[in-house]
Amino acid sequence: MLGPDGGVSYLDCQHVLTAFDETHTAEPRQAAGRLIDRFGRVHRSLRISVIDRCNIRCFYCMPEHVDSFLPQTDLLSFDEIVRVVRLLASAGVSKIRLTGGEPLLRPNLDALIARIAAVPGVDEIALTTNGILLPRFAESLKAAGLQRLNISLDTLDEATFQRISRRSGVDRVIAGIDHAIDLGFEQIRLNALAIRGLTETEIVPLVDFARRRNLTLRFIEYMPLDADRAWRDDNVLTGDAIRQRLETQYGPLQETGRDDPAQPAIDYRFADGSGRVGFINPVSKPFCNACDRLRLTADGGLRNCLFSDRNWDLRSLLRSGASDADLRNLISESVAAKEPGHLISRPGFQQPQRAMYQIGG
Ligand code: SAM
Ligand code: SF4
């Protein structure tokens, strides 16, 4: 269902929508045991933001000065999170990713991981982190059942790290990465957000860093989710531009194919067989047509898209004695309302009210 620009074809989606409408019943997607939206997308993954706080202040995500973070009482408790995970897992969600803000700032995260790992139907638990606190927590997280880590590393250069994060200490991130490697996680990937005019010089050093450690590095395009609302089209350093730069340096890259069709990245092997690089291109090549993700914000909102302002308030239901059936209905409503895709770079696009750290990346 890719359109001419590689994005979602609304025409195709409309066709699927009609087909689904014919079989619509009161709770069809839950009754079938799975969460399928109007466009036939089956939802198998959930990103849970466990906190909105962070120990750094990346300009593409947070403001430099935050007026207020969520008070502790507004955060979903572990009991509440696990209840939502159970309901979603019973409807086919099997992949869980913990994120934030910086998820390692949530106290006792290992206890939450152990509880999620015990939920029937959950077969993958991953975490996205800025890496700084890994030396302190990675061992207990792994022992609790954490299998996969995505560690964000946009630069190896301290001055550039400070420009991006408004804090110092890229060496702390590197120490976190090396610590995690020593612990032997099932999978560790590096995420590098690419920004035109700022991180071009980082492309080759980051790739060399990842190749030396035999890690997959993925470049991510900058999306309009920054709290400062400074994003512009021309800040986007596209995956294609980076790939061309890498082919000049390392020779032709060979696409690896996708194990999972819902995976947002396209990965490549290097000609010499050492290491992999991937591209997540939500702006230049949207992958909404294969999206299988739901998001739970730290304050208990269910979101069906990063770019939607609609929030299904699970927390209020959870705290008012709602039954599982009530919660399922709200989840179904959210899935049913999912739009075919985002409209970044198209006329009429509105940046969501919440910035990335308030949703969960
Ligand atoms: N603090 C953790 C971290 O940085 O890895 C987890 C939360 S962070 C919001 C998750 C991911 O979102 C990071 O890899 C970060 O680079 C990415 N991200 C944040 N703002 C973004 C933006 N405006 N566009 C694209 N990716 C963004
Ligand atoms: Fe913090 Fe991650 Fe946002 Fe950077 S991207 S400010 S590390 S939450």
Side-chain angles (χ1 to χ4, degrees), residues 49 52 61 100-101 227 297-299 303 353-360:
S49 173
D52 60 339
C61 174
T297 62
D299 55 346
R303 297 200 159 220
Q353 296 293 319
R354 286 194 181 206
M356 188 63 123
Y357 76 104
Q358 298 167 310
I359 305 172

Side-chain angles (χ1 to χ4, degrees), residues 60-61 99-102 128-130 152 191 193 221-223 356 361:
Y60 46 68
C61 174
T99 180
E102 175 46 46
T128 302
T129 173
N130 63 30
S152 302
N191 286 346
L193 204 139
E221 289 176 351
Y222 177 22
M223 296 183 277
M356 188 63 123

